[in-house]
Amino acid sequence: MTPRDELVLDVVALIPEGALASYGDVAGTVTALGTACTARQAAATLSHYGGGVPWWRVVQAAGTVADEVLPAARTHLVAEGVVVVGRRVPLQELRWQPDLVVLRAELTLGG
């Protein structure tokens, strides 16, 4: 696992219950924290190593859940009060927008 993978997982671990982020949002946050990352890289990290973090809170940019993870993601999301219609979730309404200063502090305290 690379340092970028670790940072992706650390960021996803901080997404609050009932909030959502896109893979691009996660990648943008990781990049803003100083480690270059793309949405595809964030998705690959979650696919390979994401079992220990709330991966279901990260969705596609269109506000859809990937087919491959839909059944499990739907269960988690509904339990958190997120409405899932087909594959769609209300990304715009529930988008997590962390304050980078606060996020850096949380990552420093947690690490």
Side-chain angles (χ1 to χ4, degrees):
M1 187 175 335
T2 69
R4 181 192 64 231
D5 294 328
E6 292 175 6
L7 188 53
V8 166
L9 297 176
D10 289 344
V11 166
V12 172
L14 294 174
I15 301 172
E17 183 175 319
L20 301 169
S22 71
Y23 295 103
D25 293 337
V26 172
T29 300
V30 169
T31 299
L33 291 170
T35 301
C37 185
T38 67
R40 285 183 187 256
Q41 289 169 327
T45 296
L46 288 176
S47 176
H48 289 98
Y49 310 112
V53 298
W55 55 266
W56 57 89
R57 297 177 188 154
V58 184
V59 299
Q60 297 166 334
T64 53
V65 178
D67 282 327
E68 306 82 42
V69 298
L70 182 59
R74 180 191 311 271
T75 299
H76 289 293
L77 290 167
V78 169
E80 293 183 4
V82 176
V83 175
V84 182
V85 178
R87 292 179 44 220
R88 293 207 163 275
V89 294
L91 175 60
Q92 296 306 321
E93 296 161 29
L94 299 177
R95 179 171 259 137
W96 179 57
Q97 296 179 319
D99 178 304
L100 289 177
V101 173
V102 173
L103 189 61
R104 277 190 182 94
E106 289 177 358
L107 291 170
T108 300
L109 291 174

